[in-house]
Amino acid sequence: MAHQHSSQPRLSPSSYEEDIRAVLAPRLAYFEAVARHEHVTRAAHELGVPQSTLSRAMVRLEQDLGVALFARKGRTVSLTPAGRTFLGSAERALAEVEKAADSVRADADPTAGKVAFGFLHTMGSETVPALIRAFRADHPRVRFQLVQNYGEAMIERLRAGGLDLCLTSPVPDAPDLVALRLDEQRLRLVVPDDHRLATRRRIRLAEAADETFVTLEPGYGLRRITDDLCAEAGFVPRVAFEGEEAETLRGLVAAGLGVALLPPPAVARPGVVELTVTAPRAAREIGVAWLDGHPDTPPVAAFKKFLLSRRGHLLPE
């Protein structure tokens, strides 16, 4: 392998950081094979490339680095001290690439791949465990990465590639998303059990206009729905406490600190009474969302199909 000079200059200091990955990455496997065999012909045969191509690639690599990686003697080569140092890093880099490839192949495996699935906190205790249990009856080895969060945060994570699918409310309307309604969940006015309204079973929301409310923080879908329903009933809620989790709000209601519009609990909580709201109609839509045009792995496609098959009966009775 003749070590010829090239008229093409090495990477300049100003361009080095920008270009070094593009220069080195395609040549690391070539370099590792030549270093392992200490013979260009045998390395070229293993890689399935012409010997001349491999020889030129190694010469260009040394020229771009400005360092001799090989000492050449006839048809054989041996590593210089710099080459041996570079080999250690190259082997680690190639191992990381192989590890990454194995990981993404495993996640896409039709029978044992991974689904990154986001959902609202209020669906974590009962709805989502029941869904996953039903899905895994036919897909027992599929793995799930589960993320609980409020709607806007999940949509941000979906766009960033951290989620494959999410259950959220309200159902988002955005050009880069596909979002489909799956079910509807009635909301109740939750009051302390010694409240003046606690003996009632049904109520018009306007009757709570003078009450102090406890709500989720702004940015949560349920907070937006609460504000909209109160506006439809003709008032702006007087909010005393804002939280991040529905069951915490129930605890505040039980302590007599206000009333709240909440979805039904998984387990009845003592200290509160839950009233049906007759007007306006108090409900929230639950939908599934994913990135438009984003290709699905087989396990994600299977779980998406399963969720869509549950339209109208997504939530527990």
Side-chain angles (χ1 to χ4, degrees):
M1 181 171 64
H3 196 163
Q4 300 174 346
H5 291 287
S6 170
S7 60
Q8 185 169 346
R10 298 196 304 265
L11 293 171
S12 66
S14 62
S15 65
Y16 188 84
E17 292 296 333
E18 179 181 351
D19 295 341
I20 192 65
R21 286 178 297 180
V23 166
L24 294 182
R27 301 174 187 165
L28 290 184
Y30 283 6
F31 168 75
E32 187 275 337
V34 173
R36 178 161 36 85
H37 287 284
E38 295 188 334
H39 199 283
V40 177
T41 302
R42 288 196 291 267
H45 180 73
E46 176 187 288
L47 294 168
V49 299
Q51 178 180 330
S52 59
T53 299
L54 188 54
S55 295
R56 285 195 299 271
M58 292 303 93
V59 171
R60 286 291 305 278
L61 177 60
E62 291 177 309
Q63 290 172 343
D64 286 330
L65 289 174
V67 176
L69 300 175
F70 298 104
R72 294 159 175 83
K73 187 175 182 180
R75 293 180 177 272
T76 63
V77 296
S78 60
L79 288 170
T80 65
R84 196 160 299 281
T85 298
F86 189 64
L87 176 62
S89 297
E91 287 175 332
R92 288 191 293 274
L94 291 169
E96 284 298 313
V97 170
E98 184 175 1
K99 181 180 176 182
D102 289 342
S103 177
V104 296
R105 281 196 295 261
D107 287 348
D109 184 280
T111 60
K114 184 182 75 173
V115 179
F117 181 44
F119 53 92
L120 302 169
H121 289 283
T122 51
M123 309 191 76
S125 61
E126 189 174 4
T127 300
V128 168
L131 286 172
I132 293 177
R133 180 180 179 181
F135 176 74
R136 281 170 60 91
D138 294 323
H139 304 81
R141 296 175 58 208
V142 169
R143 297 169 290 122
F144 282 84
Q145 176 189 347
L146 301 176
V147 176
Q148 288 181 271
N149 216 321
Y150 66 98
E152 290 184 6
M154 282 195 296
I155 296 303
E156 289 178 9
R157 193 157 178 171
L158 192 68
R159 288 182 169 128
L163 290 175
D164 298 309
L165 304 162
C166 67
L167 288 182
T168 188
S169 178
V171 181
D173 181 13
D176 60 333
L177 301 178
V178 177
L180 301 174
R181 179 186 184 277
L182 295 179
D183 214 337
E184 180 181 85
Q185 188 175 48
R186 296 300 296 268
L187 303 179
R188 301 169 178 175
L189 184 70
V190 184
V191 303
D193 60 6
D194 59 355
H195 192 273
R196 64 180 180 87
L197 298 172
T199 58
R200 301 274 295 276
R201 294 184 61 186
R202 301 175 183 275
I203 188 173
R204 291 177 295 107
L205 189 56
E207 296 178 72
D210 295 330
E211 299 292 332
T212 297
F213 278 72
V214 296
T215 70
L216 296 179
E217 294 177 352
Y220 282 68
L222 187 57
R223 171 60 181 271
R224 191 157 65 250
I225 292 170
T226 295
D227 290 345
D228 290 346
L229 287 171
C230 290
E232 192 174 345
F235 69 96
V236 175
R238 187 170 71 252
V239 176
F241 296 93
E242 296 175 336
E244 296 181 343
E245 213 281 319
E247 288 311 302
T248 300
L249 300 187
R250 266 195 179 80
L252 294 172
V253 173
L257 299 176
V259 303
L261 276 169
L262 296 173
V267 178
R269 183 177 188 129
V272 300
V273 174
E274 310 216 358
L275 309 178
T276 299
V277 178
T278 58
R281 190 172 186 276
R284 66 172 181 172
E285 291 187 336
I286 306 294
V288 60
W290 62 87
L291 281 180
D292 190 17
H294 190 78
D296 293 331
T297 62
V300 171
F303 189 59
K304 182 187 293 185
K305 182 178 179 181
F306 168 79
L307 288 177
L308 296 177
S309 75
R310 307 281 293 202
R311 282 178 172 172
H313 52 279
L314 179 80
L315 305 172
E317 295 295 332

